[in-house]
């Protein structure tokens, strides 16, 4: 809501967008795809600032060359990407997607399909959608707006996106191409930079403690001795985000209200 | 001697549905709550055809057919109303276990199954699905090993051969040369190509003379030719309440009404009475007079 561009009043949504943007660092000329407002903003922010070769879409069927605001319609189209081309692109590996997760486990197995037994679920959700194909073909990250032990679980009810333990059981090609890069949440950034690819606490957001994250995680997290604080967006990133990409502040609506 | 006049394939939703039999496999085009052949789905609801296998990138088509108890087997990659993430009737059907057989694929696997059927191949190989619970929950899925030096084990997605296909396009001539004018064809051409000749039905917003097709859009929009279509139905607003860009957007208010009604048996009965108990013309009249 505020027009102020000093970094003293950075919101949680802005920290999350910058953390998602960071997951695309070094990706080059590939399709940066985000499911949901914060992941989409993360892709667009990365492209607008430090990763200019990324391709980003309007969320419908077009690659856009301009810095399209959330909900914006003034598109400078640079390519056509109907669903069939999305599948071609992802099977070809030229994509990094940031998806959501209803459940995720320590190896990065993700569930968006259902809660409870698959045969007759307690809660039917979307179905596996493209998660199996995404995770086996190209880099995947996750954004989880509500980090709780109901989401970070010992065992997910249905493996939609495959994690490191599942990938390790497969052939050499899969092992070489499977990558769950990072998990960004409302509390922290997590990665799998451990010898056996168990989830590790990479940084905690400003004002969040390591204990907060451990308490909100339903499995044993790898916690390094020194856990850094997640970076806040630069003044330039904040300006682009607030004035260009998200002037109506959709970024803070995807997160739970502070307790 | 002049050649015979072009054969018109004009038909109606009810005639199309009359060609179906219990137990058939029907593919439904569109994607989620986008450009669904809803007037054909509504005709299916009016019919007494049952025990269907439905193949779809699911939206309200799947929800309505589940609510009407028409589905014996469902093959899908997802079911969603887009602006409303979860399809309420589909959820209820899954949670109460009323769909006897459920096959949940990765979205790309569904495309591959349709593509295999359209090419008359028994399967197509892919990595999508391997390692996930898709292969756990469908134990009939098999893998194949690459016969080349890599020797990689791949998932063999079986052909999804359809007995019938329903799709909705923007324009068509009366012979079935059809045109999409929106941003995405989705997989409508594959649904038609995966179906047995005889029951490939295409509804459209408007039937136009062949010569008019290229006045509406470039040749790139002509991805469906008449060899892929057996019946053409002119159905203005036929995709309602899903979208049919650029002709119209999704009717979000109506979709909300649908989703709310689906959550309550009394409200759903009233919804059916108001909108789904008469003909397509009655439906369109009831929608217009809200």
């Amino acid at each position: 809501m505020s027009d102020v561009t000093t970094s003293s009043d950075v919101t949680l949504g802005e920290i999350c967008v910058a953390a998602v943007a960071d997951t695309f660092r070094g990706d080059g000329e590939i399709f940066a795809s985000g499911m949901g407002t914060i992941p989409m903003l993360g892709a667009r922010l990365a492209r607008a600032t430090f990763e200019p070769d990324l391709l980003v879409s309007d969320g419908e069927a077009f690659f856009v060359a301009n810095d399209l605001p959330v909900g914006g319609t003034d598109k400078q189209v640079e390519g056509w990407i109907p669903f069939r081309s999305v599948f071609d692109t992802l099977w070809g590996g030229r994509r990094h997607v940031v998806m959501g997760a209803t459940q995720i486990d320590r190896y990065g197995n993700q569930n968006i399909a259902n809660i409870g037994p698959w045969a007759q679920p307690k809660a039917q959700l979307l179905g596996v959608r493209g998660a199996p194909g995404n995770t086996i073909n190209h880099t995947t990250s996750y954004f989880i707006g509500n980090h709780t032990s109901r989401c970070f679980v010992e065992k997910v009810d249905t493996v939609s996106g495959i994690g490191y333990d599942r990938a390790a059981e497969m052939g050499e090609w899969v092992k070489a191409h499977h990558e769950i890069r990072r998990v960004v949440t409302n509390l922290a950034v997590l990665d799998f930079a451990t010898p056996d690819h168990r989830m590790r606490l990479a940084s905690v957001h400003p004002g969040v403690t390591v204990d907060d994250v451990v308490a909100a995680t339903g499995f044993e997290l790898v916690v390094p001795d020194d856990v850094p604080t997640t970076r806040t967006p630069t003044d330039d990133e904040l300006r682009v985000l607030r004035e260009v990409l998200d002037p109506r502040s959709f970024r803070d609506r995807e997160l739970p209200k502070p307790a | 001697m002049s050649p015979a006049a072009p054969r018109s394939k004009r038909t109606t939703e009810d005639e199309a549905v009359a060609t179906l039999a219990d137990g058939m496999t029907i593919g439904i085009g569109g994607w989620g709550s986008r450009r669904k052949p809803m007037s054909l789905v509504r005709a299916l609801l009016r019919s007494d055809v049952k025990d269907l296998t439905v193949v779809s990138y699911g939206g309200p088509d799947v929800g309505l057919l589940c609510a009407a108890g028409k589905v014996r087997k469902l093959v899908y990659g997802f079911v969603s109303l887009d602006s409303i993430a979860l399809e309420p009737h589909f959820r209820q059907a899954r949670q109460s276990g009323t769909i006897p057989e459920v096959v949940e694929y990765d979205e790309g696997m569904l495309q591959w199954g349709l593509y295999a059927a359209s090419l008359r191949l028994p399967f197509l190989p892919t990595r999508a699905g391997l390692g996930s619970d898709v292969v756990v929950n469908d134990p009939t899925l098999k893998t194949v090993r690459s016969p080349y030096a890599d020797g990689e084990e791949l998932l063999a997605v079986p052909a999804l051969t359809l007995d019938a296909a329903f799709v909705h396009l923007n324009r068509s001539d009366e012979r079935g040369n059809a045109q999409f004018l929106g941003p995405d064809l989705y997989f409508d051409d594959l649904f038609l190509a995966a179906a047995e000749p005889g029951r490939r039905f295409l509804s459209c917003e408007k039937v136009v003379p062949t010569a008019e097709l290229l006045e509406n859009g470039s040749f790139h929009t002509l991805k469906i030719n008449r060899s892929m279509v057996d019946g053409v139905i002119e159905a203005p607003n036929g995709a309602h309440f899903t979208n049919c860009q650029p002709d119209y957007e999704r009717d979000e208010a109506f979709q909300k009404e649908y989703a709310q009604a689906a959550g309550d048996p009394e409200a759903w009965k009233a919804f059916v009475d108001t909108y789904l108990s008469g003909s397509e013309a009655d439906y369109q009249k009831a929608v217009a007079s809200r």
Side-chain angles (χ1 to χ4, degrees), chain A residues 80 82-84 87 91 113 118-124 126-130 132-133 136 158-159 162 166 170 173, chain B residues 31 77-79 85 90-91 94-95 102 104-107 111-112 126-127 130-131 133 137 183-184 186-187 189:
Chain A
W80 185 38
F83 284 113
R84 192 164 324 186
F87 294 175
W91 288 19
W118 183 84
Q120 188 175 339
K122 205 168 82 192
Q124 173 66 44
L126 289 166
V128 297
R129 294 217 71 150
I136 205 166
T158 292
V159 175
I162 67 175
R166 295 269 184 132
M170 306 181 65
W173 192 96
Chain B
W31 174 278
F78 65 86
V79 184
F90 164 68
R91 297 194 83 189
R94 285 283 286 135
Q95 290 164 198
V102 176
E104 183 172 305
Y105 276 176
D106 170 88
E107 292 167 358
Q111 178 199 5
W112 236 217
T126 178
R127 298 188 182 94
L130 287 176
D133 279 354
N137 295 328
D184 202 325
Y186 311 118
F187 299 92
D189 54 337

Side-chain angles (χ1 to χ4, degrees), chain B residues 110-127:
Chain B
L110 198 61
Q111 178 199 5
W112 236 217
L114 294 169
Y115 193 36
S118 75
L119 301 177
R120 303 182 299 174
L121 290 169
F123 69 90
L124 278 170
T126 178
R127 298 188 182 94

Side-chain angles (χ1 to χ4, degrees), chain A residues 178-195:
Chain A
H178 173 266
E179 182 191 6
I180 310 298
R181 187 167 294 168
R182 237 163 275 169
V183 182
V184 175
T185 79
N186 59 320
L187 300 180
V189 177
L190 307 111
D191 64 20
F192 300 86
T194 53

